[in-house]
Amino acid sequence: MDETDNRLISALRHNARASLSDLSLLLGLSRTTVRARMEKLQQRGDIVGFSVVLREDMLGDPVRGLMMIAIEGRGTERILRQLNGMSAVRALHSTNGRWDVIAEIGTETLETFDEVLFEIRRLDGVTSSETSLLLSARKSV
């Protein structure tokens, strides 16, 4: 991908429903060029689909946060299995640096969020954690 493809993808991430005319004006390209580039990106598999994000999707979990978790020894796989079984855990990410795992957590209330944090901290092998509440989304994929 070149810089033009990256600019096109950025524009589509901002508004996947933008017309070819709008995209061509924004990018300073002809409609034919925009269409050809989009088709090429789809054929190569760089773009695999388009989606719609609804307001209610953002409201599904009024309380959301990221919990960074440090795990003792070789217990990561076991703890990941336990975390996968928790309904409030929306996603899990391995990482490098101080933290071994980052868990995305979503709940209906702060009280429930606190209970989930307590439950995770009690897992055998979790040595420390740090949690940040997500206050507002500035950009979402």
Side-chain angles (χ1 to χ4, degrees):
M1 283 193 289
D2 63 12
E3 181 60 30
T4 301
D5 288 337
N6 287 328
R7 288 179 45 230
L8 174 58
I9 288 171
S10 177
L12 289 169
R13 281 187 172 152
H14 179 71
N15 181 6
R17 291 182 44 107
S19 68
L20 288 176
S21 298
D22 290 342
L23 291 169
S24 67
L25 282 172
L26 179 67
L27 300 172
L29 302 169
S30 71
R31 286 175 37 138
T32 305
T33 301
V34 171
R35 181 185 303 118
R37 284 185 175 260
M38 285 179 65
E39 289 173 358
K40 184 176 100 179
L41 289 166
Q42 287 176 301
Q43 288 170 354
R44 284 194 335 218
D46 293 322
I47 295 177
V48 295
F50 299 87
S51 66
V52 175
V53 178
L54 301 175
R55 179 178 30 193
E56 63 193 42
D57 294 336
M58 298 304 291
L59 300 176
D61 292 321
V63 180
R64 297 174 299 128
L66 300 175
M67 182 180 200
M68 287 68 71
I69 304 167
I71 300 170
E72 178 181 56
R74 297 178 182 236
T76 303
E77 288 301 318
R78 178 182 45 78
I79 290 175
L80 285 173
R81 282 192 302 275
Q82 291 173 311
L83 292 171
N84 270 312
M86 296 179 176
S87 61
V89 175
R90 304 295 184 233
L92 292 169
H93 307 275
S94 60
T95 185
N96 65 332
R98 178 177 177 200
W99 306 108
D100 299 302
V101 173
I102 296 176
E104 294 182 44
I105 301 167
T107 64
E108 288 289 322
T109 65
L110 276 172
E111 291 80 13
T112 306
F113 191 85
D114 186 45
E115 290 169 9
V116 172
L117 297 182
F118 184 73
E119 184 178 353
I120 292 172
R121 289 182 185 123
R122 288 187 4 185
L123 294 175
D124 186 40
V126 171
T127 58
S128 63
S129 67
E130 181 177 320
T131 304
S132 295
L133 286 173
L134 300 175
L135 302 176
S136 66
R138 305 296 181 168
K139 179 180 178 182
S140 182
V141 178

